[in-house]
Amino acid sequence: MTAFGHPFKQSASDTRLVTATGSGLVADNRLAVSPERLAEESPGVLQLPGADGGSARSVAVRLVPAAGVPADVVVVPAVLVQEHRVLPDENWKLAAADARIPAVLELELPPGPSLDEAATMLKGAPLLCGHVFEQGHDTAPEAWIDVAGTLFRVRQCLDHGGQVLRGLLQVAQETRIVLFAPGERSGVDIVVLADCSASMSIEDIPAAARDGGGWLTRLRPGAADATVSRMNALKEALRSMIDARMRYDGVGTRFALVRFDHDNESAFPSRWGMEEVSDARSVQQLREAVSLLKFNANSGTDIGKALHRAGELLHRYGVPGNERLVVLVSDGANWAPLPDERSGESLSGTQDPVSLMEDLHAGLDIRLHTVGISDEKLFDRWWQAQRDHPNWRPQAHPSMIPNHQMLGELATVAGGDRQRVGGLEVLEQYFAELGDGVAREVGRPLRPRLPALQLSAEQLAAEGRRRAGADPRQRREWRVLVEAALNAHSMVCRASEARLGKPLFGAARPHEITRLHEQCDNLAGFTAWLAEAYKIFNERLDDSLRRPFDRTGNPRNPEELPLPQLAVPFWNPRMSQLHELRNYFLHDRDQKEYTNQNRNAGEVIRRHTGKYAPHDDDTEAWRTLQLGLLRDLAALLREAHTILDEAVAAERVTEERVTEEPLLMSQGWE
């Protein structure tokens, strides 16, 4: 965050922005700064003034010290400059900032690659570790991460406790990457293990936490502190999963629901196996199976035996190529860790669920999600409310208290992408997401391997000399003229939409507007600027106004136009200057037949610069030509706006007169 003990900060007042294109260190949102200003890599924020006087904008960036960058220079990607309309001389500020590191980064599978291909892409991404982004703010409600040219949407970021993270975030080596495939693209075989032991009868799940109060309507009115049993919460959440999964047609999904306590049995399908849930009959059977789930009042919990059964089902009945997923839903209340005095004993597979699940994951590629029902806080709140019960004791029996320690261990060894713990809202959210798709653990990102800076020290020094030689007054005049031309362009569009029912210009692209702001230094820079200016002010002009002559070369009649007065500004020779220059510089005009057109282009250049053919490196001449063209454009567009505005006002007066006549007639006036 600091450079030799000082906070890192740079701004337009003391720093020059230099843009870089192509592959290299400076790309995406990576900025190169001087090692004299920043000792080590850091997250950062680029603050920009708001557009049209609006609130300030912020862009999350990754600050990387790079040898050869002068202390008064920051090298930024040209793409970032274009996307966010960064102007080198505007009041921007750059500062290092603290970023939180997510324990889990969940990305959405983009269109195109398969789940396997996308997972491989993420595993081999050398620039993912260290990436900085902003997530969940009003100004940045969602983030996208570019991995080798493929954009992945960030679905959510979680801390180690499973809580959602928002704000400035940075991917680190300890971050677990999870890839989520939406339901319409994911075939998955799912075995849900539903804990039906005696502890699932405890009513410590707050009903009021559910959106809409659906559970409260089934309980006594006015019970603000009403609760439901762990079993009923599980059943409601399973219904959410069924509803979500049914939104997707044509996805191969086989399903099994197994109820377990000290033993286990199939709840769906009716006999041991798995069944595709795809039609009304199978959906109804699954709903009925969920409704019939109930706890066993005299039973404990054997998670190991249930996991063994789930592995057998997926191995024997799963669809080749589908994801294999076990979802274990339990309060974990009857489980206790092995005491130290028994830690050396040899246990059977079902007695050691963690080792069993590790084997299932390694041998059969079966993954596990664990969902812990209730937690110690929810239980303690419920237990304290039972004080009036005659058998109440200050310390509840351990078999009643939720214990999710083993659930976490199971998820860790079995590629578990999520471990959720909590009440009804947590359960419903998890199962709704499971219905919407499937998540796969990708792993942790590679160590960052940053490429070299694509600009040499000599290029950076030359850029500094060029910028230093620019006239500040000319730069200010340039900015004012560009904004004046763009403002007149917008006014014409609004007025023509009001008068003619459509804007006279098509919308300008953000990168075109950014390029329009750039002052050129030579002929190459001018022709690049000319191409964008032509698109904005000529190519996207309404066809009826673009050409004052017909195909035979004869002048067109202004009466053909919806508003004939518009011929005055738009068919003015100054409006065709961009067209003449574009054809001259961007097309082969050496043939004799183009002599007159070339002479016209030369006359345009001479009128603005005093020279017919400025030298390619004559910065002053090319900038003077830019200024002259923009002055003419702004003046002509203001004239067009006045014509349109007066026409709208005249129409308004006519409409008012028309609406007055019936009023007079209704009062008896002839």
Side-chain angles (χ1 to χ4, degrees):
M1 300 295 177
T2 62
F4 311 110
H6 300 288
F8 173 84
K9 290 184 179 180
Q10 290 188 262
S11 66
S13 62
D14 62 359
T15 305
R16 292 173 286 114
L17 291 183
V18 174
T19 58
T21 58
S23 59
L25 174 64
V26 177
D28 195 8
N29 67 341
R30 299 187 301 276
L31 277 57
V33 299
S34 170
E36 299 176 29
R37 304 292 292 265
L38 186 67
E40 58 186 21
E41 184 180 328
S42 168
V45 174
L46 175 62
Q47 293 181 327
L48 303 170
D52 300 324
S55 57
R57 299 166 289 145
S58 63
V59 181
V61 294
R62 182 177 178 181
L63 303 173
V64 184
V69 178
D72 63 341
V73 165
V74 172
V75 187
V76 297
V79 173
L80 185 146
V81 169
Q82 294 168 0
E83 180 182 353
H84 297 284
R85 297 184 63 181
V86 181
L87 301 179
D89 299 317
E90 71 179 352
N91 189 27
W92 59 265
K93 296 178 181 178
L94 181 64
D98 291 321
R100 301 180 70 181
I101 295 175
V104 177
L105 169 63
E106 186 172 302
L107 303 174
E108 185 171 303
L109 178 67
S114 67
L115 189 57
D116 288 336
E117 291 169 341
T120 301
M121 193 184 304
L122 290 170
K123 286 179 181 177
L127 300 173
L128 181 56
C129 186
H131 181 73
V132 179
F133 60 99
E134 194 172 14
Q135 171 78 354
H137 278 176
D138 292 339
T139 55
E142 62 179 27
W144 297 77
I145 294 180
D146 187 338
V147 177
T150 299
L151 289 176
F152 289 79
R153 186 176 75 88
V154 178
R155 293 191 81 243
Q156 62 178 351
C157 297
L158 306 176
D159 63 14
H160 290 282
Q163 299 299 311
V164 174
L165 291 177
R166 294 181 175 85
L168 191 66
L169 306 173
Q170 183 174 34
V171 183
Q173 281 191 271
E174 60 264 36
T175 302
R176 287 173 41 231
I177 309 299
V178 173
L179 185 59
F180 178 85
E184 71 270 16
R185 299 188 58 193
S186 59
V188 57
D189 296 331
I190 304 172
V191 176
V192 174
L193 300 178
D195 186 348
C196 293
S197 60
S199 58
M200 292 292 286
S201 65
I202 295 174
E203 297 185 353
D204 59 354
I205 306 297
R210 187 179 188 272
D211 289 341
W215 277 102
L216 286 176
T217 61
R218 305 173 204 175
L219 301 168
R220 63 185 184 279
D225 57 348
T227 57
V228 297
S229 70
R230 299 171 187 175
M231 177 56 67
N232 279 338
L234 167 60
K235 291 160 70 172
E236 189 72 5
L238 285 170
R239 293 185 185 105
S240 297
M241 181 199 69
I242 297 170
D243 292 340
R245 196 68 186 177
M246 291 309 103
R247 289 198 294 266
Y248 304 106
D249 296 326
V251 180
T253 299
R254 296 178 71 79
F255 194 86
L257 175 61
V258 177
R259 63 173 305 280
F260 76 95
D261 40 46
H262 62 277
D263 202 355
N264 53 75
E265 65 175 331
S266 177
F268 176 87
S270 56
R271 292 186 295 180
W272 283 113
M274 300 186 72
E275 185 171 322
E276 188 162 327
V277 182
S278 57
D279 55 21
R281 180 193 62 83
S282 58
V283 170
Q284 183 58 31
Q285 287 179 346
L286 179 55
R287 291 189 190 278
E288 291 172 358
V290 169
S291 298
L292 291 173
L293 286 176
K294 60 181 180 179
F295 59 85
N296 186 341
N298 300 304
S299 65
T301 309
D302 191 335
I303 291 177
K305 187 183 290 187
L307 289 172
H308 188 273
R309 175 66 73 179
E312 183 181 346
L313 288 171
L314 288 167
H315 177 60
R316 293 180 60 185
Y317 302 104
V319 176
N322 271 9
E323 293 285 315
R324 295 176 170 184
L325 178 64
V326 176
V327 180
L328 172 61
V329 191
S330 173
D331 57 13
N334 285 7
W335 176 83
L338 195 68
D340 291 340
E341 61 269 19
R342 295 186 58 200
S343 61
E345 292 184 15
S346 176
L347 301 176
S348 67
T350 56
Q351 287 179 294
D352 184 4
V354 176
S355 297
L356 170 63
M357 195 62 239
E358 191 171 14
D359 290 341
L360 291 174
H361 179 56
L364 299 177
D365 197 24
I366 294 173
R367 296 178 303 105
L368 176 75
H369 289 184
T370 60
V371 184
I373 298 182
S374 188
D375 57 32
E376 291 188 16
K377 288 184 179 179
L378 292 177
F379 174 78
D380 186 62
R381 187 185 310 155
W382 174 82
W383 183 247
Q384 296 304 320
Q386 311 303 311
R387 285 176 173 271
D388 295 336
H389 195 281
N391 295 324
W392 186 86
R393 297 288 185 273
Q395 183 62 43
H397 192 277
S399 66
M400 304 172 70
I401 303 172
N403 184 345
H404 302 128
Q405 180 181 340
M406 186 173 66
L407 300 186
E409 293 181 16
L410 286 167
T412 300
V413 301
D417 309 315
R418 303 184 179 112
Q419 181 192 5
R420 302 289 178 84
V421 173
L424 187 57
E425 282 183 335
V426 173
L427 284 170
E428 288 194 331
Q429 180 184 3
Y430 169 77
F431 278 104
E433 289 177 358
L434 181 61
D436 281 337
V438 61
R440 175 189 290 187
E441 173 107 4
V442 174
R444 305 189 189 279
L446 293 175
R447 287 181 176 274
R449 299 195 304 272
L450 293 173
L453 179 62
Q454 57 265 55
L455 296 177
S456 66
E458 291 75 18
Q459 288 174 308
L460 290 170
E463 178 69 15
R465 289 192 297 271
R466 183 184 68 78
R467 292 292 181 93
D471 183 354
R473 287 176 299 178
Q474 190 185 59
R475 286 206 305 269
R476 285 194 295 272
E477 182 185 6
W478 170 253
R479 287 199 301 270
V480 170
L481 265 177
V482 172
E483 292 303 323
L486 289 174
N487 186 51
H489 177 276
S490 298
M491 291 167 63
V492 167
C493 288
R494 286 195 293 268
S496 59
E497 192 158 21
R499 172 61 179 82
L500 306 176
K502 62 178 180 179
L504 288 182
F505 290 96
R509 311 294 191 268
H511 71 273
E512 295 166 355
I513 294 174
T514 299
R515 194 60 187 264
L516 190 72
H517 281 84
E518 294 181 3
Q519 270 189 296
C520 65
D521 300 306
N522 48 37
L523 173 59
F526 174 78
T527 54
W529 175 88
L530 177 64
E532 305 302 338
Y534 177 81
K535 290 177 186 176
I536 296 172
F537 297 107
N538 192 294
E539 190 173 275
R540 296 204 178 94
L541 178 62
D542 189 87
D543 285 341
S544 63
L545 290 166
R546 282 186 65 187
R547 294 177 178 84
F549 300 95
D550 61 23
R551 293 183 178 180
T552 62
N554 296 317
R556 291 174 54 202
N557 185 356
E559 296 300 324
E560 299 173 6
L561 301 177
L563 195 60
Q565 301 95 308
L566 288 175
V568 175
F570 285 110
W571 290 355
N572 187 300
R574 289 179 296 164
M575 196 68 192
S576 65
Q577 292 177 124
L578 291 178
H579 181 73
E580 294 287 354
L581 293 175
R582 172 182 174 273
N583 287 342
Y584 179 71
F585 286 115
L586 301 179
H587 294 284
D588 182 10
R589 301 293 293 273
D590 291 337
Q591 292 92 336
K592 188 175 181 180
E593 60 189 280
Y594 292 123
T595 300
N596 288 336
Q597 289 92 327
N598 293 347
R599 186 180 294 112
N600 291 340
E603 188 59 38
V604 170
I605 298 171
R606 186 204 62 78
R607 187 166 69 83
H608 290 291
T609 68
K611 306 174 183 179
Y612 276 106
H615 192 273
D616 288 3
D617 295 327
D618 190 342
T619 300
E620 183 179 356
W622 296 117
R623 288 187 174 182
T624 301
L625 179 55
Q626 277 184 304
L627 287 167
L629 293 172
L630 274 181
R631 285 195 196 95
D632 287 348
L633 279 171
L636 291 169
L637 291 174
R638 283 194 295 268
E639 185 177 345
H641 174 257
T642 300
I643 293 170
L644 288 163
D645 210 32
E646 289 175 350
V648 171
E651 269 194 358
R652 193 176 297 121
V653 170
T654 303
E655 288 174 0
E656 289 172 357
R657 288 173 179 168
V658 170
T659 56
E660 285 174 359
E661 290 180 5
L663 293 175
L664 292 171
M665 293 289 290
S666 68
Q667 296 173 14
W669 297 91
E670 297 294 338

